[in-house]
Amino acid sequence: MDMTNTTSAKLVPGYYFSPGFYMTYWQNVILANFTLDIIKSHNNLTKHREMWVGAILAASNSKGSGIQHFVGLSEKEPPDVDIIYYKDITTPSGVSGYERKHIFTEITRCDLDFGETIINQILRKNTPANAGIVLAVYVYGNEKQTNYQAILETLKNENKVYPIEILCIEFVMFAGAGKILLLPGTYAISRLWPQPGSKVVNLSDKKAFFRSPNVIGDATPRRGSGTKWQDLGSFTLLPPII
């Protein structure tokens, strides 16, 4: 691993960020410099918003599997982001190596305060272009309680559901949920398709929102085995121009 490089770059494909690195960037650069209205709506922040949701999912997957997951922009759209992790393998020649795995993810939002609904946002994305990838819906705004079962039943009535998995991501705005105490900084990830499920991840979880390495380069081919990663060392992700 090369720890001597110092890199400054815009948010472009080819860089894969640890969840902890990107969430720190989101807090210190995006949240600290732009209003919520701008963050939610400005076109120059679209990719940053998508990466933010991708970082939450990468953290959740890292927590659940014990394997570090990184997030980067997809090389082509759809999908929006590419969540990667590495699987240990033995090559045909008997050499130990790594195979890069992908969780291609399309991101869409649901702003409840503007009359959007989760199911309508899902149906808008239920197209052949999103076949075989994950669809993640990030929910803004106030709601009493989401009827996940009704969403599942609606999807079952569709002729075809193209995404292989549909997730709903929400920031938990309250301390307690039923009998479960949730810490501040908690995100809830609910699986809506193909089977219901739920989990939570908290910003304080250093294994989920890990930061070592912070940023890796595209050293391993998209398919096949090779070097696990290229650690880019010291890295500055440049702020967007608004």
Side-chain angles (χ1 to χ4, degrees):
M1 296 184 188
D2 183 4
M3 297 295 290
T4 64
N5 294 338
T6 299
T7 306
S8 296
K10 296 179 181 179
L11 182 60
V12 293
Y15 300 108
Y16 293 91
F17 302 94
S18 68
F21 177 90
Y22 193 82
M23 292 302 280
T24 299
Y25 169 81
W26 180 263
Q27 292 174 324
N28 294 345
V29 176
I30 304 300
L31 293 180
N33 290 289
F34 305 108
T35 66
L36 182 58
D37 286 342
I38 290 176
I39 292 171
K40 289 170 61 176
S41 61
H42 202 289
N43 289 338
N44 287 5
L45 287 172
T46 299
K47 295 303 177 187
H48 295 77
R49 293 191 298 268
E50 292 166 352
M51 282 287 294
W52 170 56
V53 177
I56 297 168
L57 294 177
S60 175
N61 289 339
S62 299
K63 174 184 177 180
S65 67
I67 300 171
Q68 290 183 331
H69 287 61
F70 302 81
V71 61
L73 292 178
S74 179
E75 296 173 359
K76 60 179 182 178
E77 298 181 35
D80 295 312
V81 300
D82 181 9
I83 298 171
I84 65 169
Y85 63 97
Y86 291 86
K87 179 182 178 181
D88 294 347
I89 64 167
T90 301
T91 66
S93 62
V95 177
S96 297
Y98 303 91
E99 183 179 11
R100 191 173 77 186
K101 297 293 187 178
H102 298 262
I103 305 172
F104 295 113
T105 306
E106 179 75 2
I107 309 293
T108 191
R109 76 167 195 185
C110 177
D111 194 331
L112 300 171
D113 293 337
F114 280 83
E116 295 175 344
T117 65
I118 295 173
I119 187 59
N120 284 345
Q121 295 301 92
I122 290 172
L123 295 178
R124 285 179 60 250
K125 293 288 187 175
N126 187 34
T127 64
N130 291 319
I133 65 177
V134 175
L135 174 63
V137 184
Y138 188 83
V139 180
Y140 294 95
N142 296 315
E143 63 176 328
K144 291 183 178 179
Q145 187 172 0
T146 300
N147 189 336
Y148 295 123
Q149 186 61 37
I151 293 173
L152 178 62
E153 294 303 320
T154 299
L155 291 172
K156 286 181 178 178
N157 289 327
E158 289 291 294
N159 291 330
K160 183 175 179 61
V161 177
Y162 290 95
I164 58 172
E165 188 175 32
I166 301 174
L167 305 171
C168 177
I169 300 93
E170 300 172 83
F171 182 67
V172 179
M173 300 296 291
F174 45 86
K179 297 181 179 179
I180 302 174
L181 180 64
L182 298 176
L183 297 173
T186 296
Y187 293 91
I189 298 98
S190 301
R191 186 173 64 242
L192 309 180
W193 181 267
Q195 298 293 334
S198 63
K199 52 186 175 179
V200 296
V201 64
N202 190 275
L203 286 171
S204 65
D205 186 335
K206 301 305 181 184
K207 289 187 177 180
F209 289 95
F210 66 89
R211 288 203 55 166
S212 180
N214 277 322
V215 187
I216 61 175
D218 198 4
T220 303
R222 182 166 178 166
R223 291 180 176 85
S225 62
T227 304
K228 187 173 185 180
W229 56 51
Q230 178 190 8
D231 188 330
L232 296 182
S234 178
F235 192 99
T236 298
L237 182 57
L238 298 175
I241 298 174
I242 303 297

